[in-house]
């Protein structure tokens, strides 16, 4: 914490001022010489037909999720594709303000982009399949995002208060929001131990092309 104090000798008083300082960002996903490893998973539920791939750019400076989300025939509703990274991610508890994505897309009209991360669960893959709708499946926090059109990478900021670990595994839509119940919100304690990061195309049919250069946690400015 930063303080500036002034001593007034005549009255023997001390006045201390507080300042707003920016918390350092914590990078969770990066590419380049040592790229974060992702694996592509397609909708396996009841004969899902959505297809996708995950690849690195030729210079390994960003990752690319490419594919198409289509209806699951038996459900007559959109399936999903997603890219998954498992591991021990850096402690992001000091940057509990927002998740920051550097992304671009040739399909900015696609409305089903989502990102999730798992923490505090014994099985990240199980939690990120159940979304809190089945027993012991809490701990996978998900939120929507949109990518502006354009040929340049852009920064997309998602407040952690927009995430919830209760959502429908059928649609990806949150069943309880952070605004409705603080119990579903990711806390600084949860951000200490992230074990999985996922990029989704879900809940909307259509062509999908998403390029990702980095994912970070940011604390923004705080008053100290």
């Amino acid at each position: 914490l930063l303080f500036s104090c002034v001593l007034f000798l005549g009255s023997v008083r001390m006045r201390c001022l507080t300042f707003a300082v920016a918390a350092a960002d914590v990078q969770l996903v990066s590419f380049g010489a040592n790229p974060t490893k992702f694996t592509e998973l397609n909708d396996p539920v009841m004969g899902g037909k959505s297809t996708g791939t995950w690849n690195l750019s030729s210079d390994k400076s960003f990752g690319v999720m490419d594919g198409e989300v289509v209806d699951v025939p038996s459900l007559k509703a959109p399936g999903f594709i997603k890219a998954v990274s498992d591991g021990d991610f850096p402690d992001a508890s000091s940057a509990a303000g927002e998740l920051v994505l550097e992304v671009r897309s040739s399909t900015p009209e696609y409305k089903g982009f989502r990102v999730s991360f798992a923490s505090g669960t014994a099985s990240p893959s199980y939690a990120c399949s159940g979304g809190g709708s089945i027993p012991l499946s809490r701990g996978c926090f998900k939120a929507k995002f949109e990518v502006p059109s354009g040929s340049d990478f852009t920064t997309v900021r998602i407040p952690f208060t927009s995430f919830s670990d209760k959502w429908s595994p059928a649609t990806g839509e949150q069943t309880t929001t952070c605004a409705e119940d603080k119990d579903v919100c990711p806390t600084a304690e949860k951000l200490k131990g992230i074990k999985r990061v996922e990029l989704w195309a879900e809940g909307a049919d259509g062509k999908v092309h998403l390029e990702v250069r980095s994912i970070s946690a940011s604390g923004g400015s705080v008053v100290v």
Side-chain angles (χ1 to χ4, degrees):
L1 301 182
L2 298 181
F3 296 89
S4 176
C5 298
V6 179
L7 178 64
F8 297 91
L9 296 178
S11 56
V12 195
R13 290 182 299 148
M14 182 176 286
R15 177 177 295 175
C16 294
L17 304 177
T18 59
F19 298 90
V21 296
D25 291 354
V26 176
Q27 192 164 63
L28 301 172
V29 171
S30 62
F31 298 94
N34 187 27
T36 303
K37 182 180 179 181
F38 279 83
T39 301
E40 180 74 19
L41 298 176
N42 298 329
D43 182 6
V45 178
M46 301 180 70
K49 302 294 185 181
S50 300
T51 57
T53 59
W54 174 267
N55 292 292
L56 295 178
S57 62
S58 58
D59 62 357
K60 297 184 179 180
S61 64
F62 58 87
V64 183
M65 183 169 73
D66 193 78
E68 184 175 11
V69 176
V70 299
D71 280 359
V72 178
S74 59
L75 301 178
K76 294 182 172 59
F80 70 84
I81 62 175
K82 66 178 179 177
V84 175
S85 180
D86 288 306
D88 293 319
F89 292 86
D91 180 346
S93 59
S94 64
E98 56 194 7
L99 195 70
V100 182
L101 287 67
E102 282 191 274
V103 290
R104 67 182 176 189
S105 176
S106 61
T107 59
E109 70 281 358
Y110 184 73
K111 299 303 182 183
F113 288 126
R114 307 175 200 267
V115 60
S116 62
F117 60 90
S119 177
T121 172
S123 175
S125 61
Y126 178 77
C128 289
S129 296
S133 66
I134 54 178
L136 303 178
S137 67
R138 300 285 302 275
C140 184
F141 301 90
K142 184 185 283 191
K144 285 181 173 181
F145 68 94
E146 294 184 358
V147 183
S149 59
S151 59
D152 295 330
F153 279 94
T154 188
T155 300
V156 174
R157 298 180 179 274
I158 312 170
F160 282 118
T161 52
S162 295
F163 284 82
S164 170
D165 71 345
K166 283 190 175 181
W167 41 267
S168 167
T171 65
E173 294 292 332
Q174 294 178 2
T175 55
T176 304
T177 67
C178 181
E180 293 169 338
D181 185 352
K182 298 301 181 186
D183 183 58
V184 306
C185 308
T187 62
E189 183 66 26
K190 294 294 186 184
L191 295 176
K192 282 184 177 180
I194 296 174
K195 301 298 183 185
R196 170 177 277 216
V197 173
E198 300 182 326
L199 295 160
W200 297 70
E202 177 186 32
D205 289 338
K207 298 283 188 180
V208 176
H209 183 89
L210 180 68
E211 299 179 359
V212 183
R213 190 157 64 183
S214 70
I215 301 176
S216 303
S218 175
S221 294
V222 296
V223 175
V224 297

